[in-house]
Amino acid sequence: MSTTAIDAHAGHHAKGFLPWILRWITTTNHKDIGTLYLTFSLVMLFVGGGMAMMIRAELFHPGLQFVNPIFFNQMTTTHGLIMLFGMIMPAFAGFANWMIPLMIGAPDMALPRLNNWSFWLLPFAATLLLMTLLMPGGGPAAGWTMYPPLMLQTGDAFPFVIFAVHLLGVSSIMAAINVIVTIMNLRAPGMTLLKMPMFVWTWLITAFLLLLAMPVLAGGVTMQLTDRFFGTSFFTAAGGGDPVLFQHIFWFFGHPEVYIVVLPAFGIVSEVIPTFSRKPLFGYSAMVYATASIAFLSTVVWAHHMFTTGMPLSGQMFFMLSTMLIAVPTGVKIFNWTATMWRGSLSFETPMLFAIGFLFLFTLGGFSGLMLAIVPADYQYQDSYFVVAHFHYVLVPGALFGAFAGAYYWLPKWTGHMYDEKLGKVHFWLTTIFLNVTFFPQHFLGLAGMPRRIPDYNVQFTDFNMISSIGAFGLGLSQLIFLYVVIKTIRGGEKATAEVWDHPTGLEWTVPSPAPHHTFDVPPVVK
Amino acid sequence: MSAQAVSRDGDGDRRIKKSALTLALVAAAVYLGFIVWGLLHGLS
């Protein structure tokens, strides 16, 4: 541990507002930065969720009710960007910061000052992105995919959006570098790679994906910037450019991005299920190889998002089959989680409920993904509400349920208090019921032909849209329970023991609850 | 990679900085590589 990193924390017990705020701004402690990431992510959950409420309020009825179509498009765009870059990625970065050093027996992240910078870029980038909504011409309205030529028609906000996306990317790349360097260099003696907890493995693989994918997005939006301001024609057809090139670049980032937000959730679920099954994880090595296979395959399937743009038959076949191939390692994981529970001594505390909810509902999202991978069928589903239903089933019960499972699982370790189990269970059941009420009818809307990203629709779609909107309001309001549980747990409650649960495995459970500010100054020995 | 925590003093610190710099260069190369690909695509 560098002397600098320790000295920077000498004042973390200082009293008064200024020392308190300076402590959070200048902190290089992995637990502090983890807390900052998680808090920021929770705020963004409600910001992005508020946008979703606006979208669903407008779609409650056919016709235009509350917002104009341009603002509606800005809402769908910023909802996607905020939820991915502002909410779910920072949430997992928060888990990584808190848990990776604790799980591998390291005193901190390898690059503590870079860690501070990675976090503090985020609030500025997100604020910049949100402020574009107030600029002349409004915010970005081309969808989170930012396709040109529509994106190039954004008003004064355009360069600010591009800058915000760059900042978000730089933050992610720095976090990824930190995770890789920490895991490769600071593991406790005896902790070989194949002894690492699954959460650490999934994050290591995610970090490599981030390193590969984020610069690609940055390159794409830089080219848009030069197209708009420096007379280039990367994507402008009038100047000999190719708008479809951007789609290739975007999805070369965009598909790995899906796994960037879901692999850490796989890792959390792989920690939670063995604890509440009171059995070791079934097929640990297979889980590691399956995660690596998923990550590799995620880099060679990008054009399945683009079947309708036109491509040779051989291209369609390749991208269809490689996409379907992802079902194999994913199936291995689902099987192993189920086999872990088989004949286990199961108990159903809130983290386990979210993990099981993840298992069922993420699989459902995977199935609709297989349907979308079939080229002739995709021609029917493309750009319809079926796609919206599919990716929300992947991202909400996948990534978000994973994050909730992790939050309930480790809250006692972070705060030193047990959370309110009854309220946790109410949160789980309401979230599960309302997410199905929200997103399941969207499959039917898409199959019936309702396009995505429209503020108004034909009256034939009214009933399912009403159901979906009612579900969305319920889903949004249910998250206030989570906020209440988190605040209540921070403020007090039954004291948590060091182990918290019934004999969990892992180094994080060997330190007291709450975890002291500095842990593993002397590396533990792993046998 | 050996399963041994790297000390932050001397060689260990240099090794950590070297890995971080290498990864940063990889990210920069991917970024520039895709822009060059975009240029070549336009020229072809």
Side-chain angles (χ1 to χ4, degrees):
Chain A
M1 186 76 192
S2 71
T3 323
T4 319
I6 289 174
D7 289 345
H9 288 284
H12 72 262
H13 293 301
K15 299 271 183 262
F17 180 73
L18 194 65
W20 180 82
I21 198 85
L22 277 176
R23 172 218 163 171
W24 288 104
I25 292 173
T26 60
T27 183
T28 51
N29 181 284
H30 73 102
K31 299 181 187 83
D32 280 355
I33 294 173
T35 304
L36 285 170
Y37 266 114
L38 290 166
T39 309
F40 174 77
S41 147
L42 193 56
V43 172
M44 286 297 121
L45 175 69
F46 288 99
V47 172
M51 291 169 176
M53 297 300 101
M54 254 186 268
I55 292 167
R56 285 316 316 175
E58 181 56 53
L59 292 173
F60 187 75
H61 236 264
L64 296 176
Q65 270 79 231
F66 304 106
V67 295
N68 66 49
I70 296 172
F71 188 73
F72 182 89
N73 287 344
Q74 291 169 17
M75 283 296 99
T76 55
T77 304
T78 38
H79 164 73
L81 289 170
I82 287 290
M83 284 304 207
L84 277 170
F85 294 111
M87 193 278 285
I88 202 72
M89 287 169 73
F92 289 128
F95 285 112
N97 265 288
W98 250 103
M99 300 316 299
I100 288 176
L102 284 180
M103 286 176 148
I104 63 171
D108 205 308
M109 296 296 278
L111 306 152
R113 280 170 285 196
L114 190 80
N115 205 13
N116 173 289
W117 194 23
S118 298
F119 171 75
W120 280 108
L121 279 179
L122 272 184
F124 292 97
T127 310
L128 187 64
L129 184 62
L130 291 172
M131 279 171 62
T132 61
L133 293 168
L134 308 172
M135 291 178 183
W144 86 282
T145 50
M146 300 179 283
Y147 283 176
L150 196 53
M151 185 63 185
L152 294 168
Q153 293 166 18
T154 308
D156 290 0
F158 179 78
F160 297 97
V161 177
I162 300 294
F163 187 44
V165 171
H166 275 116
L167 287 180
L168 292 164
V170 169
S171 163
S172 296
I173 290 167
M174 290 195 302
I177 290 174
N178 216 344
V179 166
I180 295 171
V181 175
T182 303
I183 297 172
M184 298 315 275
N185 291 291
L186 295 184
R187 297 193 312 280
M191 184 171 283
T192 54
L193 283 175
L194 283 175
K195 277 187 187 167
M196 291 197 309
M198 266 315 289
F199 178 70
V200 179
W201 256 115
T202 53
W203 240 110
L204 179 65
I205 293 166
T206 301
F208 277 108
L209 272 184
L210 271 168
L211 209 61
L212 180 75
M214 294 308 295
V216 180
L217 174 69
V221 294
T222 303
M223 287 184 251
Q224 286 209 26
L225 192 77
T226 61
D227 271 7
R228 169 88 175 244
F229 293 108
F230 301 104
T232 59
S233 296
F234 286 105
F235 311 125
T236 327
D242 181 5
V244 177
L245 173 67
F246 181 81
Q247 296 192 23
H248 280 289
I249 292 173
F250 181 85
W251 287 114
F252 189 77
F253 143 80
H255 200 80
E257 169 69 12
V258 175
Y259 292 95
I260 285 166
V261 297
V262 99
L263 289 184
F266 284 2
I268 291 172
V269 168
S270 303
E271 300 296 328
V272 169
I273 289 181
T275 297
F276 296 99
S277 304
R278 290 155 185 86
K279 275 175 66 189
L281 184 67
F282 182 87
Y284 169 87
S285 311
M287 290 296 248
V288 172
Y289 296 128
T291 309
S293 309
I294 291 171
F296 169 73
L297 287 171
S298 79
T299 62
V300 293
V301 297
W302 76 91
H304 68 216
H305 296 268
M306 304 166 51
F307 284 142
T308 56
T309 58
M311 68 177 79
L313 189 62
S314 53
Q316 291 184 342
M317 291 297 288
F318 172 79
F319 287 108
M320 177 171 80
L321 294 173
S322 58
T323 303
M324 288 180 167
L325 209 55
I326 297 186
V328 176
T330 311
V332 169
K333 293 182 94 65
I334 303 282
F335 178 85
N336 285 0
W337 287 320
T338 312
T340 306
M341 287 190 280
W342 181 253
R343 293 191 169 177
S345 179
L346 300 179
S347 61
F348 298 97
E349 286 85 346
T350 310
M352 183 64 161
L353 288 177
F354 272 106
I356 294 173
F358 163 95
L359 211 59
F360 273 93
L361 297 171
F362 177 78
T363 307
L364 202 67
F367 283 147
S368 56
L370 277 175
M371 292 168 72
L372 284 159
I374 301 166
V375 178
D378 184 73
Y379 273 71
Q380 177 73 18
Y381 307 143
Q382 168 78 24
D383 268 342
S384 76
Y385 249 83
F386 189 85
V387 178
V388 178
H390 157 68
F391 69 74
H392 279 95
Y393 262 96
V394 172
L395 292 173
V396 181
L400 191 59
F401 269 35
F404 282 143
Y408 283 109
Y409 187 53
W410 286 311
L411 252 180
K413 179 56 62 189
W414 300 337
T415 62
H417 303 124
M418 295 305 289
Y419 62 86
D420 187 326
E421 188 62 56
K422 195 178 279 179
L423 278 179
K425 284 181 176 160
V426 171
H427 174 226
F428 166 76
W429 283 110
L430 288 179
T431 303
T432 303
I433 290 165
F434 282 124
L435 98 82
N436 283 296
V437 175
T438 307
F439 298 115
F440 208 80
Q442 293 181 2
H443 290 107
F444 305 133
L445 286 169
L447 292 175
M450 179 169 159
R452 65 190 289 204
R453 294 173 178 155
I454 52 164
D456 186 11
Y457 51 82
N458 193 300
V459 286
Q460 77 191 69
F461 302 128
T462 309
D463 292 349
F464 281 133
N465 267 300
M466 274 187 170
I467 295 169
S468 181
S469 291
I470 291 166
F473 299 134
L475 184 60
L477 289 173
S478 308
Q479 303 324 306
L480 294 174
I481 301 172
F482 178 66
L483 181 67
Y484 176 73
V485 171
V486 171
I487 293 171
K488 193 177 166 199
T489 314
I490 293 169
R491 291 171 67 95
E494 187 194 331
K495 293 278 176 219
T497 60
E499 279 203 330
V500 181
W501 309 110
D502 188 11
H503 302 300
T505 52
L507 290 174
E508 75 268 35
W509 308 109
T510 61
V511 301
S513 304
H517 208 60
H518 300 289
T519 37
F520 300 126
D521 282 338
V522 177
V525 177
V526 178
K527 294 201 172 73
Chain B
M1 194 64 63
S2 67
Q4 175 66 50
V6 166
S7 157
R8 292 305 305 244
D9 304 322
D11 281 350
D13 207 37
R14 264 195 295 279
R15 183 169 143 185
I16 283 171
K17 283 176 183 158
K18 202 172 147 190
S19 354
L21 191 62
T22 310
L23 293 169
L25 287 173
V26 169
V30 174
Y31 173 70
L32 291 173
F34 269 79
I35 293 177
V36 170
W37 178 49
L39 279 170
L40 294 175
H41 184 83
L43 291 175
S44 62

